[in-house]
Amino acid sequence: EPEVTQTPSHQVTQMGQEVILRCVPISNHLYFYWYRQILGQKVEFLVSFYNNEISEKSEIFDDQFSVERPDGSNFTLKIRSTKLEDSAMYFCASSPDRAIQETQYFGPGTRLLVL
Amino acid sequence: SQQGEEDPQALSIQEGENATMNCSYKTSINNLQWYRQNSGRGLVHLILIRSNEREKHSGRLRVTLDTSKKSSSLLITASRAADTASYFCATEYNTDKLIFGTGTRLQVFP
């Protein structure tokens, strides 16, 4: 069964460094998402992406964050200058069509630790 | 305000018993979904129920939705130790994003 994959599974970085989290969505899906979950807290929406542009973003998704689909398969989340509070599990998700009436399929996550 | 609130926050049962988790939300929805998360792992989709549906089944899972009360319940029948996980409801309404609840931590003892 097709699934969303994410790399790396764990990432440790120093505060102020740039990180790129990578995702390979399910191949025939059109919508892509990033969520994050700070330890012990809710899963929070960051951004959605469709047709090579951001379709919606949350307040969390400030200028330090960017997303890109550099080729036909990868979907990346970049954090330009990491802060301690960026430490979280980051989940990529994809869906065949808009969130309405459609399931979002999540990847296994990347655990980011900012020191 | 928080969209999704599950209760109980934690639930411990014996194998073979049924587990019921509830989710309340505040705004209108198009659909409500339940996800499972094993400790420190990814989110696994369990079931989606649309706003015009009242009940849905999938294997040992039964989900109900009461839009008048803005609540949903997830029932796991004949629970197994492997059902031990956190369970989250997530709602969607005319946007791309899912809004997740706080989760119920289920522990099933063999």
Side-chain angles (χ1 to χ4, degrees), chain A residues 31 33 35 37 41-45 48-50 55-58 89 91 98-109 111, chain B residues 2-5 30-31 33 35 37 39-45 48 50-51 88 92-102:
Chain A
Y31 284 83
Y33 315 85
Y35 291 80
Q37 184 182 32
Q41 297 187 22
K42 289 186 180 186
V43 176
E44 302 172 288
F45 170 80
S48 59
F49 191 85
Y50 170 72
S55 53
E56 188 172 352
K57 61 182 181 180
S58 72
M89 180 78 96
F91 294 106
R98 285 201 65 184
I100 295 175
Q101 310 301 326
E102 290 291 347
T103 298
Q104 293 185 21
Y105 296 87
F106 284 74
R111 187 174 296 282
Chain B
Q2 303 210 16
Q3 172 69 336
E5 297 285 342
N30 288 325
N31 65 63
Q33 307 184 37
Y35 286 82
Q37 184 181 35
S39 180
R41 306 289 293 277
L43 294 158
V44 175
H45 182 261
L48 180 154
R50 295 180 170 82
S51 59
F88 296 90
E92 180 277 320
Y93 182 66
N94 290 350
T95 74
D96 294 339
K97 64 186 178 190
L98 291 177
I99 301 177
F100 282 81
T102 50

Side-chain angles (χ1 to χ4, degrees), chain B residues 12-30:
Chain B
S12 295
I13 59 174
Q14 295 289 329
E15 251 186 339
E17 294 180 340
N18 296 341
T20 300
M21 289 160 269
N22 303 296
C23 167
S24 60
Y25 57 91
K26 296 188 188 303
T27 67
S28 298
I29 62 170
N30 288 325

Side-chain angles (χ1 to χ4, degrees), chain A residues 12-115:
Chain A
V12 181
T13 190
Q14 294 290 328
M15 190 170 57
Q17 295 294 305
E18 174 184 286
V19 294
I20 297 176
L21 310 183
R22 292 183 167 80
C23 168
V24 178
I26 295 173
S27 64
N28 62 344
H29 286 187
L30 301 177
Y31 284 83
F32 315 112
Y33 315 85
W34 284 101
Y35 291 80
R36 78 172 186 190
Q37 184 182 32
I38 295 172
L39 188 64
Q41 297 187 22
K42 289 186 180 186
V43 176
E44 302 172 288
F45 170 80
L46 293 178
V47 66
S48 59
F49 191 85
Y50 170 72
N51 200 25
N52 282 321
E53 60 183 27
I54 291 173
S55 53
E56 188 172 352
K57 61 182 181 180
S58 72
E59 294 173 353
I60 303 167
F61 195 87
D62 61 21
D63 292 344
Q64 293 300 312
F65 291 88
S66 62
V67 289
E68 194 178 32
R69 190 157 160 81
D71 53 43
S73 60
N74 290 286
F75 179 51
T76 62
L77 174 70
K78 181 192 290 186
I79 309 175
R80 289 191 184 81
S81 179
T82 49
K83 307 183 186 72
L84 296 177
E85 55 264 36
D86 293 328
S87 295
M89 180 78 96
Y90 287 81
F91 294 106
C92 172
S94 68
S95 64
D97 202 336
R98 285 201 65 184
I100 295 175
Q101 310 301 326
E102 290 291 347
T103 298
Q104 293 185 21
Y105 296 87
F106 284 74
T110 293
R111 187 174 296 282
L112 175 66
L113 178 61
V114 182
L115 301 177

Side-chain angles (χ1 to χ4, degrees), chain B residues 70-83:
Chain B
K70 291 187 166 55
S71 68
S72 173
S73 67
L74 170 67
L75 168 67
I76 304 174
T77 59
S79 63
R80 305 167 182 165
D83 295 329

